[in-house]
Amino acid sequence: MKAKPDTHTTLYVVGNINVDLIMSTLYEWPKKGTEAMLESSSLRPGGSAGNCALALAALESPYRLVANQGNDQFTGWLASLFPESAPYWPTYDCETSLTFGVTHPDHERTFFSNQGHIVRLSMQDVLAQVPEMAQPGDWVLLCGTWLCTTLYAEYPQLLATLKQRGYRIAVDSGWPPEDWSDALREQANKWLKYCDALLLNEVETLGFANAKTLESAAKNLLEQMADNAFCVAKCGPDGARLWAKDLTLYQQAEPVEVVDTIGAGDSFNAGFLSALIYGLPPATALQWGVRVAGCAISSSPRQYPDWQSLFGLVEKI
Ligand SMILES: Nc1ncnc2c1ncn2[C@@H]1O[C@H](COP(=O)(O)OP(=O)(O)OP(=O)(O)O)[C@@H](O)[C@H]1O
Ligand SMILES: [Mg+2]
C-alpha cells in the first residue's frame, strides 16, 4: 500500500460542536401534554464544526477542531471523540449545546436547540488554540457563524488576526437565522475582504450577494474577497460550482441513494479543504468535496471514503 503523501499543513476548524439527538419518525404533531412514542433515535456529535471534524478524522487529514465545551454529562463524551483537539478546549460552566430533532415522513425535520457552550466561544479561545504563525499552506475554516454569537461579534478582528498570522481563511457561515438584510451584508463585508474561500450553498450565496443568479453572486462576492479567492456554491443533488479569477468549474454529484442529508455541506467542506491542504488544485478539491459528501449522506451508520480512494481520483485526472 502506498504511503499517505506528506504534508506539514493543518486545517483548523473553528466553530460549533454540539450533541445531536435525532428521533424518527413523527407522523403527526403531538397534542400538548401528551407523549409520542417514536421508532428510533440516534445520538451523535453534530454542529457544522463537529460534522466537518468527524469527516476529517475519517479521512485522516491533518486537522484540529478549535472549539470550547460546557460542563455536564455530555462534556466528556464529546471530548472523547476528538482526543487530539479536546485537551485545548476551554470549559464554560454551562450546559453542553444540544439539538433535539424529529424527522417527519416527508424527510423534513424540526429542531430544538438550547444555547449552551457554543454561544460563549470567544476570539480569545480561538486564538489561544491556533499557532501564532501559520505553516505555509495552513487553512482555517470558520463555520457555524451565526450560532457562535459571541465569536461572530468579533469576526472582523478575528479574521484580521488570522490573516496576520499567515492563514488562508475559508468561511461557511450558513443561513442567518434572521435572514439576510442590508445591515447584515454591511457587517459581513467587513470580514469578507480577509476571506480566501466562501463555501456556501446556492440560496446562501444568492442571499449573501443579494443577487439573482449564482454567476453574478459569485462575481460580486469575489470582488470583495482576498486576491486569488474561491467562491464555491454547493448545489445539493446538482453537485458544486466554483468561481475564481479567470476560472469557473463545475463538478456534478455522483448519483447516490440519500439516507440522511444532515451535514452534507460540512462533509463537502472536509473533502474540499483536505485537497487544498495537500496542495491539490481546485478542480480536485471540488471532486473530493462531492465524493465525501455523497458518501456521508448515502450511508447509515455514516461512512466516509478513505484517503487512498480520494488520492485515486487524483491519479485518474
Ligand atoms: N441529493 C443529493 N445527491 C447527491 N449529492 C448530494 C445530494 N445532496 C447533497 N449532495 C452533496 O453534498 C454537497 C453539499 O450539499 P448541499 O448543497 O445541500 O449543502 P448545504 O445546504 O450546505 O448542506 P447542509 O444542509 O449540510 O448545510 C453537494 O454539493 C453535493 O455534492
Ligand atoms: Mg451548509
Side-chain angles (χ1 to χ4, degrees):
M1 190 173 61
K2 272 200 202 158
K4 185 147 66 84
D6 227 3
T7 178
H8 299 289
T9 50
T10 303
L11 169 59
Y12 296 87
V13 179
V14 177
N16 53 333
I17 164 150
N18 58 259
V19 172
D20 269 358
L21 173 62
I22 311 292
M23 298 192 71
S24 303
T25 305
L26 185 69
Y27 291 91
E28 251 175 68
W29 202 257
K31 281 205 191 83
K32 217 166 147 183
T34 63
E35 179 170 347
M37 193 79 127
L38 273 55
E39 290 138 22
S40 64
S41 63
S42 126
L43 181 70
R44 58 194 190 196
S48 296
N51 291 330
C52 182
L54 285 177
L56 290 166
L59 302 180
E60 297 177 54
S61 296
Y63 83 98
R64 246 321 161 60
L65 175 53
V66 176
N68 66 337
Q69 59 193 346
N71 187 12
D72 60 19
Q73 293 89 331
F74 284 124
T75 307
W77 175 61
L78 281 184
S80 71
L81 300 170
F82 300 98
E84 279 155 28
S85 300
Y88 301 94
W89 296 346
T91 301
Y92 284 82
D93 202 12
C94 65
E95 296 158 349
T96 293
S97 297
L98 172 88
T99 292
F100 162 66
V102 287
T103 65
H104 303 283
D106 57 359
H107 300 295
E108 278 292 348
R109 304 182 210 95
T110 307
F111 294 116
F112 303 85
S113 298
N114 67 354
Q115 304 227 315
H117 62 270
I118 61 171
V119 301
R120 291 166 168 88
L121 180 66
S122 72
M123 176 170 79
Q124 209 185 343
D125 296 339
V126 172
L127 293 177
Q129 294 176 64
V130 173
E132 291 206 0
M133 186 67 88
Q135 295 292 322
D138 280 354
W139 278 84
V140 173
L141 167 65
L142 297 162
C143 51
T145 302
W146 317 111
L147 302 173
C148 299
T149 46
T150 299
L151 192 64
Y152 173 65
E154 300 172 308
Y155 256 42
Q157 207 191 332
L158 174 64
L159 272 90
T161 309
L162 290 169
K163 200 91 253 188
Q164 262 166 16
R165 291 186 180 188
Y167 292 95
R168 299 202 77 198
I169 300 173
V171 176
D172 178 353
S173 62
W175 182 265
E178 273 141 43
D179 210 342
W180 280 104
S181 61
D182 287 341
L184 199 60
R185 285 187 198 99
E186 200 179 308
Q187 278 178 24
N189 286 345
K190 294 201 183 110
W191 46 264
L192 197 53
K193 62 181 179 221
Y194 301 114
C195 212
D196 299 284
L198 262 186
L199 307 175
L200 303 177
N201 69 21
E202 282 175 288
V203 283
E204 291 157 357
T205 307
L206 295 174
F208 200 143
N210 199 16
K212 292 218 160 50
T213 66
L214 278 180
E215 284 72 18
S216 60
K219 187 164 169 279
N220 167 327
L221 292 168
L222 278 177
E223 276 168 8
Q224 301 171 74
M225 292 167 69
D227 291 340
N228 306 317
F230 303 128
C231 182
V232 174
K234 295 170 263 185
C235 305
D238 199 25
R241 295 173 193 276
L242 177 146
W243 291 266
K245 203 172 152 208
D246 307 324
L247 180 69
T248 306
L249 297 170
Y250 168 62
Q251 176 63 50
Q252 66 185 105
E254 292 159 23
V256 292
E257 201 160 313
V258 175
V259 292
D260 176 3
T261 59
I262 290 180
D266 307 319
S267 306
F268 174 97
N269 296 345
F272 183 85
L273 292 170
S274 289
L276 295 186
I277 59 169
Y278 284 111
L280 297 167
T284 309
L286 273 187
Q287 270 195 316
W288 283 30
V290 161
R291 171 63 64 90
V292 176
C295 206
I297 63 177
S298 60
S299 52
S300 175
R302 188 151 274 201
Q303 285 178 3
Y304 303 94
D306 53 25
W307 59 265
Q308 287 91 339
S309 69
L310 291 177
F311 278 101
L313 292 173
V314 180
E315 279 160 22
K316 273 193 213 146
I317 299 176

